[in-house]
Structure formats: structure tokens, C-alpha cells
Amino acid sequence: MLTVEIWSDIVCPWCYLGKRRWEDALARFPHADEVTTLWRSFELRPKQPSVPGDSLEEMMRRDGHTREELDEIFQWIGGLGKDVGIELRPREYRPVNSFDAHRLLYLALDHGLVHAMKDRLLRAYHSELLNIADHDVLRRLADEAGLPAADVAEVLAGDRYADRVRGDEDRASGIKVTSVPSFVVDGREAVHGMVDSDAMLAMLHREWERHTATAVTDR
């Protein structure tokens, strides 16, 4: 069994693209049933408040980007989304804190619904422009993904799974994961950043050969 850990953040458009590209690569990989995908938490903006403030465009303008540059960047990102069947609206993003959303992903993992919950959160933020830090929004999204309402309420009312989210982030720091999405296969960082599905597929073949060769040697 090949274990692939993917560090990602809900508010990252590259992570939404990466999820779709990863699914495409897996669909073309002949040993897909021998691959376990584990989603790991990463906060690009850990100090971001839960209430939406400035738009991503406004933030990037303050960082020195011109309107013309942003027009080109945002159109490019939107086009990449269309290529994989998702809607990305970066000009309208209002970044918020993603910590509680990551905690709900761990609840979803315990219920066997992590992939559905991950996709629902990504679509909510990037396509529907919802505030994925708002607890009312999170409760609705969790319900749509099939999570029990009582469990969702318990998580959001306390700090359940906070240690697992922090553990992911501490481990990311320890293994030098600094950008997302980052793919770690059997404990080794394989690819990171904006990688297309063909490169992911090539990585899978390469790591599968390494994995099987190691298994034969260990016998």
C-alpha cells in the first residue's frame, strides 16, 4: 500500500486545482486501489480573522501588484479552474481563518466522509464565495456532506481535533513543507506546488516502483 499525504489549505486555489488533478492522476493509475490518500492541515493565513475583511485583490495591491498584473493572474487562475471543471473566482475572495474547517475535516475522516467534506469546503470558498470560518456555514456544509449534526455541533463548540490540526502543521514544519499543495509519499516529499496531473501520475509510477522494490528487498 502506498500512502500519500497531501498538505493543503481550503483557502488556496492551487489546492482545489491540486485535488482535481490528483483525482485525475489516480483515475489513470493502474494501482489506484493500493493508494491511500490522507489530507493534512496547513494554514496559509493562520492569523486571519473569522470575519471576512479585505479582498485578496486588495491585499495583493498592497503588496505591490498592479491592477493589470492582477487582471492577468486572476484570469489565468480562472482558466486553469475551467480546465478541470471547477469555478475559481480569486478576484472576489475574502480570506478567512480555516482552522475550524480543518477540524471538521478530521471529524469527516472519522466518519469516512473526508473526501466529500474536503470537496464541499473547497467549492464553498472558491466557487460560492462563502465564509468557511462561519459556524452556521460550516454546519450547513457538513450536513450536505453527510456528517451527523450533533457531532458537528460538539466539534465547533469546543477544541476537538485541534491537536490533530496543530500536529499536521508541526509535522509540516519538521519535514520542510512550506508551500501547498505538497505531496508526501511514504514519508518522502515527492512533489509540491502547482503540478499538473501528468506530473502527478509520473510521480505515482516512480514512487510505486520504489515502493515495490523496497518491499522485495525487505523480504
Side-chain angles (χ1 to χ4, degrees):
M1 183 69 71
L2 203 62
T3 299
V4 181
E5 299 171 277
I6 307 176
W7 268 264
S8 71
D9 194 6
I10 291 102
V11 299
C12 168
W14 309 119
C15 293
Y16 198 3
L17 286 165
K19 184 176 188 293
R20 286 301 177 93
R21 291 172 175 179
W22 174 244
E23 291 165 348
D24 177 72
L26 271 181
R28 294 186 284 144
F29 185 57
H31 309 289
D33 58 343
E34 294 292 322
V35 177
T36 298
T37 301
L38 300 176
W39 295 102
R40 300 302 188 198
S41 308
F42 193 100
E43 294 175 272
L44 287 170
R45 300 175 182 272
K47 296 182 179 180
Q48 194 73 22
S50 298
V51 177
D54 290 342
S55 69
L56 179 62
E57 180 178 13
E58 291 168 329
M59 293 177 180
M60 294 180 73
R61 288 287 297 275
R62 285 200 299 271
D63 288 339
H65 291 278
T66 67
R67 182 176 297 278
E68 292 72 22
E69 288 173 337
L70 292 178
D71 285 344
E72 184 175 346
I73 291 170
F74 292 154
Q75 288 174 12
W76 174 53
I77 292 173
L80 292 174
K82 290 179 181 178
D83 289 343
V84 295
I86 60 178
E87 184 180 16
L88 299 175
R89 301 164 63 182
R91 186 179 296 280
E92 301 168 85
Y93 294 166
R94 293 190 178 273
V96 290
N97 191 281
S98 59
F99 188 75
D100 285 342
H102 284 296
R103 292 198 297 126
L104 282 184
L105 284 172
Y106 267 112
L107 174 65
L109 177 64
D110 285 350
H111 286 277
L113 295 168
V114 66
H115 299 296
M117 188 64 191
K118 182 80 171 181
D119 200 64
R120 188 64 191 93
L121 285 166
L122 288 166
R123 178 160 53 90
Y125 180 78
H126 294 282
S127 304
E128 300 168 5
L129 305 176
L130 298 179
N131 177 5
I132 54 88
D134 182 275
H135 285 192
D136 287 338
V137 172
L138 287 173
R139 279 190 283 269
R140 176 165 64 82
L141 298 177
D143 179 69
E144 292 175 11
L147 292 177
D151 288 352
V152 172
E154 178 190 346
V155 169
L156 294 177
D159 62 356
R160 187 177 172 191
Y161 299 114
D163 57 338
R164 296 175 76 172
V165 174
R166 295 300 185 212
D168 284 349
E169 295 175 336
D170 288 345
R171 186 157 165 249
S173 177
I175 61 177
K176 310 302 182 187
V177 170
T178 58
S179 64
V180 288
S182 282
F183 296 75
V184 175
V185 183
D186 287 348
R188 298 181 306 277
E189 187 172 6
V191 297
H192 61 88
M194 192 181 67
V195 180
D196 64 27
S197 60
D198 287 341
M200 291 180 184
L201 181 59
M203 177 271 289
L204 277 170
H205 283 293
R206 181 178 67 250
E207 294 297 330
W208 180 258
E209 290 178 5
R210 187 202 302 259
H211 178 80
T212 53
T214 301
V216 170
T217 302
D218 290 343
R219 287 179 183 173

